Amino acid sequence: TRYISVTGVQTCALPIWYCFRATYNGNASYLTSSDSSSTECFIVKDTTATTSAQTWLPNDAAHVALSGGSAASGSIVFTLKSGTCGAQGSTLYTQTVTLDGSGDASTTNTSVSVSTTSDVVWVTTFTPSDTTRVVGSTHCEATGLTITN
């Protein structure tokens, strides 16, 4: 039978190294004995908890098609806003992009992120290079975002 004697309550910063030490004072039948070797030691380590929070870097792409079939030229202003198309909130991000030869343009947002549950919209406003022959247009596209962390 082994007995452990603990006196007092101690709080220590972890990790901490513990070693068992046994001492027997002996009696008429048995000699004294003690053991405090390093093979009787162990480490108590602290525990950890990890959390993460996802964010989303919204980007958009647009294609402008002319009803006459020719390639559109001009620029698009991409505006990211909070809210919905019917109830637009504050502007979060704006970028003006020139259409490529196919009438395409896209954003390159690397700084404005959206986190948790959000409703955001992209409002795209096309301005043609030749306003005497082509009419500009505006389009709103809604995104409902749910991030579960």
Side-chain angles (χ1 to χ4, degrees):
T1 304
R2 292 186 183 192
Y3 297 95
I4 298 173
S5 173
V6 177
T7 44
V9 176
Q10 296 181 357
T11 303
C12 302
L14 297 177
I16 193 164
W17 182 263
Y18 285 99
C19 294
F20 288 109
R21 178 178 172 204
T23 302
Y24 177 68
N25 294 329
N27 63 20
S29 301
Y30 299 101
L31 299 174
T32 61
S33 177
S34 69
D35 183 3
S36 60
S37 63
S38 62
T39 59
E40 298 291 332
C41 297
F42 62 95
I43 295 176
V44 175
K45 296 180 182 179
D46 202 354
T47 60
T48 61
T50 303
T51 61
S52 68
Q54 299 177 44
T55 58
W56 174 57
L57 290 170
N59 278 290
D60 198 14
H63 175 77
V64 179
L66 299 178
S67 60
S70 59
S73 65
S75 62
I76 294 185
V77 176
F78 291 91
T79 305
L80 179 67
K81 294 186 171 202
S82 61
T84 63
C85 286
Q88 295 174 15
S90 61
T91 297
L92 305 173
Y93 177 81
T94 300
Q95 182 180 357
T96 302
V97 181
T98 302
L99 294 177
D100 67 13
S102 301
D104 296 321
S106 26
T107 60
T108 56
N109 173 29
T110 60
S111 60
V112 175
S113 63
V114 177
S115 60
T116 65
T117 301
S118 301
D119 288 325
V120 294
V121 294
W122 279 105
V123 178
T124 54
T125 303
F126 168 64
T127 302
S129 295
D130 184 356
T131 57
T132 61
R133 296 183 181 187
V134 178
V135 176
S137 60
T138 299
H139 176 73
C140 182
E141 179 180 51
T143 300
L145 176 67
T146 302
I147 295 177
T148 305
N149 286 315

